[in-house]
Every structure is written in structure tokens, then in C-alpha cells.
Amino acid sequence: MATKSLLQAIHDGLAEEMRADETVMVMGEDVGRAGGVFRVTQGLQEEFGEARVFDTPLAESLIVGSAIGLSVNGMRPVAEIQFADFIPPAFDQIVNEAALFYYRSNGAYNAPITIRAPYGVVPGGALFHSQSVEAYFCNTPGLKVVAPTFPADAKGALKSAIRDPNPVLFLEHKKSYRLLKGEVPDEDYAVPLDRARVHREGTDLTVISYGLMLNDVSRAAEKISVEHGIETEVVEPISLYPLDKETILRSAKKTGKTLVVSEANLEGSVSGEISALVAEHAFEWLDGPVRRIGGPNSPAAPFAKPLTDAFVPSAEKVEAAMLDLARY
Amino acid sequence: MYRYMLLARRTDERSWILNRQGKAAFVISCQGQEAAQVGAAYNLRPGHDYVYPYYRDHGIVMTLGMTPRDELLALLGRREDPNSGGRQMPGHFSSRELNIVTASAPIGVQYPQAAGTALAFKMRGEDGVVLACGGEASTSGGDWHEAMNLAGIHDLPVVFMIENNVYAISVPEKFQVAGSIAGRAEGYGFPGVAVDGNDVLAVYEAAREAVARARRGEGPTLIEARTYRMTAHSSDDDDRRYREREEIEAWRLKDPITRFEKYLLEHGVLDEFQRDELDEEVKAEVKEASAYAENAPFADPDEGFAGVYAEV
């Protein structure tokens, strides 16, 4: 196994799927010769040509809408929205069109498209290159929303997303692209979209997290284990919609204490849904209140560095909340 | 073509009767637009070419092979409704066999999808053509522009047909359309054709050239078929609030079906006996379809909550 960045893993996943299936194509603004603004699609146009690595006009509704039409006519498009913040013009094509094709046609049409979108706070990104948009989409039956954190999972989940007969919104935390590295298997493998991953077993509390915050959670879990003997079970949903309720509830019941951590705006968030799930179905196993950490109710994220830093929950805040809940 | 126009009209008329009887919750009509719809669809190869119709395109789907029975099963929301199994309102067409792509209610969303479907034909070097239709109001939205632009950039095999029926519910054309719809095609680098949408032969000719052009790999065409919606927007709309009866009566004199019938009689293609015989035949088919649909079962309630996700 080779150690790869999240970015490299996603790139490799795309390339491998394109080699394996000639109907797989990538499309979006700048994905071709430029290789994407983050270089995720670097080299793909050279290998697969201009038609299968298709530079679109800058029009998000068109990018998703035409991807739907391509999928109807036998292709498996992977459409890139350059930043998740720019996805609202495509919202209708995602939630009213792609997500409902199968249901509304009584199973006659499906829309097997993957929509990749980099999300999350990045230094200098400011209000329109920093947003976590997942909550907008996690209330849409027919759509799958996945947000894997680490390279190996991201590659495997991307393969599953491309092979899935349903539309999948595939969120990539952009600050993680080069920051998070990990071993990625060389052989072909797929990570199922309907299973949460338990990264660390524990008995004292459960922390459910995704995105770059999961990295902080994992570090804090090791630290408080060494320093305080507190064992944290770390669970990553991978699929944010639908959720793997079984794995989440099993862990919540096992430890009796649940903390949910992400950098999304807290109110109306996926963290809220996970909390409600635990409160509703694991109440009698709980030894403490379900708690959440997330972004403030302000747009993500202000430009100036101290303001950006204040938006994202700090590693210290996460660790303190874990300790506090464990001792509750 | 005359038969399909008549079939669409008689099925439509039956729909309103079922509505007045309290049996059909909602009717959305094609009356007045049959010539544009049948004339265009007559050029397609059903099941090979793709069609993105809009909710009024009963004439298109019937020309491609849908039947009065299919239409009335959808109207009454029965399980056998081939479009959606009773999940969608009438007029949201879908048929995998006929390549009629499942439709929704928001206006204009079909155009980018149609461009994508055409792009797939082009990528594979196939001679398939995509017909995408909508009313004049659908040219107000960004999706229409985005699709026209992509089609123009890549010479995609798609025909955009705008059925300009003058009203978007109550808002008349003059408050929706700046300049000329057909004239806009020039800005996207492909031909725009304005045609009398109540003249089935004129629409047929325009669409024939557009479809042939697309099949030859020469790119898209925009057809603006000027016509008129003779009924209210839907059975829930009262058009007396926004248009004069005189205006409708004036357009009734230009009814595309009586106009084509007159042409066929004058040119000896059809005689009065054949006309009456055809009308009886169509009426009988619609009557049978109505009886069948009224007696057809609804889906079980549980079925309405299944099939949200496709399985591998």
C-alpha cells in the first residue's frame, strides 16, 4: 500500500473508474486542460480525451442538468462543482430532478450521476469558498450525500458513488486535500455508501464526526486515552444521507454518551439529525446529554485569519467537550 | 397526423368531462397546440430519438405511441399509469420504451438535460436526435439559455421547440419575452425558425429540416411555433380574470384541427364520410379508454412510499 493524499486518492479513483468503464466521464468548469483548480483531475484529459473529460461553460445548473441527460443516454457522468458554495444554482437539478427521477417515473428512469463538490473552511476562502452545504441536501429522499474524510475511504466511496444507480453528492473537504494522508490499497476496492465507519473502539463515549474535524477528534481521542484513560469510540458516518442508523445507535447505546462534531453551522445541521436519532432511539441507554459542536450561526467563514480561525471549532474546544461529557 | 391531432383533442375533451364529473382532480390541456406537437413529433423515431416534452405535450406523446388509455390512467392517477404509476399529476410524461424522459413541474429544467442527452449521442457518433419542448415562459429562465449555449458551442443534435401559446398562466407574452424568441438562436450560432404553430404542415416541414440537420451532425435548431392555448391554464385556473372572451373566439377560428381538416377535404385527401368515420373511431377509442381507466385500481398505499432509491 502506498501513502497518498486525499486529493491523490480521489484522482486515482476517478482514473481507475474511467479505465474500467468507458461510459464514465468527468465534467465541469476547468476540469480539462487545467486539471481542476485543485488539480484533482490533472492528467485525465490527456489520457481520456476532451469528450470524456469535458470542460463545460460556467453554469452550475447546466453542469448537473446535462449530466442527468447524459446519464439518461447511457453515460456515467461525474460532475464537478468547483466549490460547494456555488451549488445553489444547481439545486433544482439535484433535488427536484436527479433525486426524483427514479421515484417519479415509477422506476423507469434513474439518474446515476456523481456530483463532486469541495466544501469546508480553507484559509483565505472567506464566505464563498468555505461553506459546508450538506444540510441543504440531507432532507431529499432519492439523493445520497456522502462525505468521506480519509484518502482510502474517499477513493473507495467515490468508486461506489460512480457505480451507484442513484445520484450521489460527493463532498470533499478541501483543506484536507493535501493535509490528510493515509495508506490506500493498490487493488480495486469499494467502500459501501450505507455503512458508517468505526475508526476507534471505545467504551466511555462516542464521538460522531466527519470532515477535517474528524482528524481533530481522532487525535483528541488518543490524547485523552493516554492522559486520562478515557476511551472514545470514534464513528464517521461517511454517508450523511441516508445515515447508517444502526451503527450510530449501536455505538451510542454501548457508551451511553454521544458528542457530534462538525464545522457546519450548527442549527438545522446533520449533527442535529444525528443527535435527534440518538435521543429518540437510545434514550434509555444514555448516561449524559447528547451534545454537539459546530460552527456559529454566521456565514462560513470570515476572511481575515483570526476571524476564520474563530469560526472553526478548535482542537482544544473539541478535547474539552469530550472530557466534559466523559466525566458527566 | 390528422388522426393524432384528433386523438389528442378528443382525449383532452374527455379529461375535462371527467373533471366536471368530479372524477379527475386536475386537467392540463393541449387544446389549440395539437398542430405544433404532432407536426414536430411526426419526424422522430420513437424509442431511438429522445424527447423532453412539457406538460401540455399530449399531442407529442400520443404521436410517439402513448394511447388514450395511457393518458386517462394518468389523469385518474391509477397504478397502471405508465408515466408514474399514479405518483405525478397528469402531464408529467415518462416512457422508457418511447424515450420520453420523465418530467417535473418546474419550468425549463428539461433543456440542460436534453442538451446532455444530445451530447451522449454526439460522443458516441450516433445519429439520435433530441426534441425538447416548452412554452414561451420557459425561455425566461436561465436553464434555457444555458442549454442553448452548450448546444451551440458543441453543435449538439437537439431541436428546441418553443410552443408560444401567448400566456404563462395569466402573464401574456409581452411581459415575458423581450424581442423575438426565434431571433435569439442567432446569438447562440444556430438557426432559429419562426413558424405558424397552428399549421401542422408548416411545423412538420420546419421540424423535418431541423431533425435532418441534427441527424447529419450539423447541430441544433430553435423552432418557435406561434400558437394559442384555447383553454384555461388548467382546471384550477379561471382565465376570465385575465383575457377577453373575444380573443379566444378569434383564435378558435384558427383552430388547427378544423384548419387541417379543411385542407384535407379541399385537396381530396379525406372525404366527409372518411372524416366522420375517423371521428367515430377516435371517440370510441377514447370512450373505451375512459371506461377502462375509471375501473382500473389505484396502487396500494404502501407502494407510494417504495422505490425511492434504485437498486444496483
Side-chain angles (χ1 to χ4, degrees):
Chain A
M1 281 203 284
T3 299
K4 286 177 180 168
S5 66
L6 176 67
L7 189 146
Q8 188 66 39
I10 292 168
H11 168 277
D12 293 354
L14 282 172
E16 287 176 22
E17 288 304 292
M18 291 185 78
R19 279 178 210 129
D21 179 353
E22 64 179 16
T23 68
V24 177
M25 60 184 289
V26 304
M27 55 192 293
E29 166 81 358
D30 297 318
V31 298
R33 195 171 166 191
V37 291
F38 294 101
R39 306 286 185 269
V40 173
T41 54
Q42 182 111 48
L44 294 182
Q45 193 175 64
E46 285 167 29
E47 182 175 351
F48 300 104
E50 287 183 8
R52 286 181 68 197
V53 184
F54 185 74
D55 271 323
T56 64
L58 205 178
E60 285 78 11
S61 186
L62 176 80
I63 292 170
V64 177
S66 59
I68 293 169
L70 281 155
S71 78
V72 160
N73 199 355
M75 303 303 289
R76 288 260 167 172
V78 181
E80 179 179 298
I81 300 294
Q82 203 160 69
F83 288 86
D85 314 62
F86 306 150
I87 212 167
F91 192 75
D92 189 34
Q93 292 287 356
I94 298 170
V95 305
N96 266 331
E97 300 302 308
L100 300 191
F101 256 48
Y102 190 71
Y103 179 82
R104 80 189 194 197
S105 66
N106 202 13
Y109 283 94
N110 59 325
I113 66 170
T114 303
I115 304 157
R116 295 181 40 245
Y119 78 106
V121 175
V122 66
L127 307 185
F128 301 108
H129 300 77
S130 294
Q131 294 172 34
S132 296
V133 301
E134 58 271 26
Y136 305 155
F137 298 98
C138 288
N139 190 21
T140 303
L143 181 68
K144 295 185 179 181
V145 182
V146 299
T149 302
F150 298 112
D153 284 337
K155 183 178 171 186
L158 180 61
K159 284 168 175 276
S160 291
I162 293 169
R163 297 171 191 176
D164 199 283
N166 298 283
V168 180
L169 177 58
F170 191 88
L171 296 167
E172 302 161 7
H173 195 290
K174 69 177 100 63
K175 193 178 172 185
S176 307
Y177 270 149
R178 295 169 197 279
L179 198 65
L180 295 186
K181 296 184 172 71
E183 291 199 329
V184 177
D186 298 318
E187 71 276 11
D188 183 39
Y189 67 99
V191 171
L193 302 183
D194 59 351
R195 305 309 305 165
R197 167 134 9 247
V198 179
H199 284 286
R200 187 183 190 284
E201 301 270 351
T203 49
D204 298 322
L205 80 157
T206 294
V207 182
I208 300 164
S209 183
Y210 60 92
L212 193 54
M213 299 298 309
L214 175 63
N215 197 43
D216 290 341
V217 167
S218 299
R219 287 181 181 186
E222 291 303 323
K223 188 160 177 260
I224 65 174
S225 170
V226 172
E227 293 178 4
H228 304 280
I230 292 167
E231 297 305 328
T232 306
E233 185 143 304
V234 178
V235 179
E236 181 190 5
I238 296 187
S239 170
L240 303 182
Y241 187 85
L243 287 166
D244 175 4
K245 299 187 176 79
E246 198 186 320
T247 302
I248 290 168
L249 287 173
R250 193 189 308 126
S251 181
K253 289 176 181 178
K254 176 181 162 189
T255 66
K257 292 173 178 176
T258 299
L259 172 70
V260 192
V261 180
S262 85
E263 66 175 58
N265 298 105
L266 201 53
E267 288 185 21
S269 63
V270 175
S271 296
E273 183 59 34
I274 294 170
S275 303
L277 177 75
V278 173
E280 191 173 2
H281 296 288
F283 179 76
E284 288 164 21
W285 285 264
L286 296 184
D287 298 319
V290 181
R291 289 200 170 144
R292 296 183 294 160
I293 292 178
N297 289 332
S298 66
F303 177 68
K305 187 171 185 306
L307 304 183
T308 307
D309 291 345
F311 182 91
V312 181
S314 67
E316 294 75 29
K317 187 179 175 185
V318 171
E319 185 189 328
M322 288 165 67
L323 276 175
D324 188 50
L325 185 60
R327 289 167 177 160
Y328 183 87
Chain B
M1 285 197 286
Y2 179 69
R3 187 176 192 282
Y4 288 120
M5 290 167 75
L6 205 58
L7 205 56
R9 176 66 61 88
R10 296 288 176 251
T11 306
D12 200 300
E13 288 168 347
R14 180 69 200 161
S15 301
W16 286 92
I17 291 167
L18 289 167
N19 176 255
R20 297 289 181 257
Q21 290 175 344
K23 292 174 182 168
F26 183 80
V27 177
I28 192 108
S29 228
C30 68
Q31 290 186 39
Q33 299 178 218
E34 294 93 341
Q37 296 169 359
V38 174
Y42 212 76
N43 291 283
L44 299 174
R45 292 193 254 164
H48 176 74
D49 299 325
Y50 276 85
V51 188
Y52 286 82
Y54 92 119
Y55 51 78
R56 237 176 259 294
D57 281 332
H58 301 279
I60 287 183
V61 301
M62 295 181 88
T63 303
L64 293 173
M66 283 198 163
T67 63
R69 186 183 281 195
D70 294 336
E71 288 270 20
L72 295 174
L73 284 164
L75 182 81
L76 300 177
R78 305 303 158 125
R79 174 196 267 147
E80 274 183 77
D81 155 33
N83 304 288
S84 76
R87 293 171 174 193
Q88 290 228 71
M89 293 166 86
H92 297 74
F93 304 110
S94 169
S95 168
R96 190 80 241 198
E97 295 71 32
L98 301 172
N99 283 353
I100 297 167
V101 183
T102 172
S104 68
I107 299 301
V109 293
Q110 69 273 33
Y111 299 122
Q113 297 167 13
T117 296
L119 179 59
F121 277 139
K122 184 173 178 179
M123 286 176 73
R124 296 194 299 260
E126 296 171 0
D127 72 349
V129 170
V130 182
L131 174 67
C133 300
E136 79 285 357
S138 69
T139 67
S140 307
D143 271 348
W144 188 70
H145 160 78
E146 293 176 20
M148 294 275 287
N149 190 43
L150 185 74
I153 291 168
H154 293 284
D155 291 331
L156 300 180
V158 54
V159 177
F160 300 99
M161 184 173 78
I162 301 304
E163 296 167 43
N164 186 345
N165 70 8
V166 189
Y167 287 93
I169 304 189
S170 71
V171 183
E173 181 191 1
K174 66 176 177 177
F175 292 129
Q176 296 181 72
V177 180
S180 144
I181 291 172
R184 291 177 191 175
E186 190 186 347
Y188 300 99
F190 56 86
V193 185
V195 64
D196 181 347
N198 280 18
D199 180 349
V200 67
L201 296 177
V203 178
Y204 172 79
E205 276 302 314
R208 188 176 67 160
E209 172 51 30
V211 168
R213 197 179 114 77
R215 251 191 246 297
R216 289 194 302 264
E218 292 169 17
T221 303
L222 168 64
I223 298 172
E224 180 186 3
R226 293 199 61 86
T227 179
Y228 192 74
R229 185 192 83 207
M230 299 205 301
T231 65
H233 165 71
S234 75
S235 53
D236 291 339
D237 171 42
D238 180 359
D239 62 342
R240 288 172 300 189
R241 290 178 301 161
Y242 56 81
R243 61 180 180 183
E244 302 302 323
R245 296 302 90 182
E246 292 76 16
E247 181 184 305
I248 300 171
E249 288 312 313
W251 274 95
R252 280 200 184 281
L253 299 176
K254 302 181 205 167
D255 184 322
I257 295 182
T258 47
R259 175 171 169 178
F260 192 37
E261 182 187 312
K262 188 161 171 267
Y263 174 90
L264 294 173
L265 290 170
E266 280 174 4
H267 287 77
V269 184
L270 192 72
D271 62 33
E272 286 179 7
F273 176 76
Q274 288 170 317
R275 179 197 62 191
D276 295 345
E277 201 175 47
L278 185 64
D279 199 26
E280 286 308 314
E281 182 195 316
V282 166
K283 277 180 180 161
E285 188 178 344
V286 172
K287 196 177 165 190
E288 183 281 329
S290 186
Y292 182 90
E294 287 176 67
N295 289 312
F298 289 104
D300 291 331
D302 286 350
E303 289 177 46
F305 310 109
V308 175
Y309 289 96
E311 304 291 331
V312 181

